[in-house]
Amino acid sequence: MTLTASTPRDLADTRLTLTHALQRVGFAFVEGSCMRPLLEQVRALDDWQAFVASWDRLEPDAYLASVGRYRRRRHAVFSAERTGLVRREAHQPHYQSLKYNPLQGDIERWFEPMAESVSDGATLSSILAFTRDFFGNLSPDTGAWHIEVHQFRIEALPGEPGQPTPEGVHRDGVDYVLVLLVDRTNIVSGTTTIHDAEGRQLGSFTLTAPLDAALVDDARVFHGVTAVTPEDPSLSAHRDVLVVTLRSKARTS
């Protein structure tokens, strides 16, 4: 399901349309022109430019050294009740089982922490509150969430494509996922594909503009992203995204 700005609608109608899409097919693609007002309904994105600039300060993903050095990232963990504040937790590793990540599963991966100026800023605060409320609507029995936030930069070099999902088409082993485009510079491809449990493709779309977003019911569908290559090999090329995952605290990892 794709939500664009071509059909005027109020914010309540937009939320309802997205809710129905997640319930019906397990995913939705939202153009940034629709996503921005949803986020600004929570809080103005006053620090957006500083938020975007923080991707220039990500650190290499050392766990990918054996397959390539094209990914930079930072990581943070939050918790949230159904209402109230979203709280940042002490820095901790990111863990996925081999069931969900055959490339890097069953290990604790420690990444450099997200800067406090980013985690405390207006933009991320708005994004986290939106995801908590939107996905919480889809899961009314969930009282508290474990939330992980990943800043990713995928770099592409001549002859060395960047792999946004080196593990291939996969699930993250959580309840819900938000993928939000922050910046895309001199990049070709990077198409997101959505699949059912039998591997059939349900849809595809490419995040091209800031705040373009994918909303995914991770328990129902699989997702992957095709490799990115430089449009102009003589210039630097990267794809910057924010990934937010939510898992009920009642679930074990």
Side-chain angles (χ1 to χ4, degrees), residues 9-237:
R9 48 166 57 88
D10 61 29
L11 292 179
D13 183 42
T14 298
R15 282 177 171 269
L16 188 60
T17 300
L18 291 175
T19 297
H20 288 166
L22 269 286
Q23 291 171 332
R24 188 174 64 256
V25 296
F27 73 96
F29 165 59
V30 188
E31 287 189 350
S33 54
C34 290
M35 195 68 193
R36 178 177 284 276
L38 289 172
L39 297 175
E40 290 181 332
Q41 186 181 37
V42 180
R43 183 176 179 180
L45 309 185
D46 295 331
D47 66 338
W48 174 253
Q49 293 304 322
F51 182 74
V52 173
S54 72
W55 263 255
D56 292 333
R57 297 185 292 277
L58 304 189
E59 297 294 333
D61 182 347
Y63 296 93
L64 273 181
S66 62
V67 296
R69 297 182 181 276
Y70 50 77
R71 183 155 76 177
R72 297 177 179 273
R73 67 194 294 177
R74 287 183 183 270
H75 174 244
V77 176
F78 297 79
S79 62
E81 308 296 323
R82 288 196 64 82
T83 59
L85 296 176
V86 179
R87 299 178 301 277
R88 185 167 182 177
E89 299 294 338
H91 194 53
Q92 54 195 268
H94 176 54
Y95 177 86
Q96 292 173 297
S97 72
L98 280 170
K99 174 182 177 182
Y100 296 109
N101 190 333
L103 182 63
Q104 298 175 313
D106 282 358
I107 59 173
E108 291 187 344
R109 287 182 285 164
W110 288 90
F111 300 110
E112 289 299 311
M114 177 180 287
E116 288 186 8
S117 59
V118 178
S119 65
D120 295 344
T123 296
L124 189 64
S125 297
S126 174
I127 292 166
L128 294 179
F130 168 80
T131 54
R132 187 269 313 273
D133 294 343
F134 177 77
F135 291 129
N137 245 2
L138 292 164
S139 186
D141 294 332
T142 298
W145 296 102
H146 173 85
I147 303 174
E148 295 195 42
V149 180
H150 307 261
Q151 293 177 280
F152 286 106
R153 168 166 285 182
I154 305 300
E155 298 173 327
L157 300 171
E160 188 179 346
Q163 301 285 345
T165 55
E167 63 271 47
V169 174
H170 66 288
R171 290 167 55 209
D172 286 338
V174 296
D175 293 309
Y176 300 103
V177 180
L178 167 74
V179 182
L180 189 79
L181 186 73
V182 174
D183 184 47
R184 180 183 169 104
T185 298
N186 191 35
I187 284 293
V188 175
S189 193
T191 297
T192 300
T193 59
I194 306 292
H195 305 256
D196 66 15
E198 285 71 45
R200 292 185 295 262
Q201 185 170 310
L202 303 176
S204 67
F205 45 85
T206 304
L207 307 180
T208 60
L211 294 174
D212 279 1
L215 302 168
V216 179
D217 183 338
D218 191 64
R220 292 179 56 193
V221 299
F222 293 68
H223 65 279
V225 184
T226 61
V228 295
T229 57
E231 185 172 20
D232 182 344
S234 68
L235 302 175
S236 62

Side-chain angles (χ1 to χ4, degrees), residues 80 139 141-146 175 246-253:
S139 186
D141 294 332
T142 298
W145 296 102
H146 173 85
D175 293 309
L246 284 80
R247 173 172 54 83
S248 168
K249 281 194 172 183
R251 282 183 52 194
T252 57
S253 60

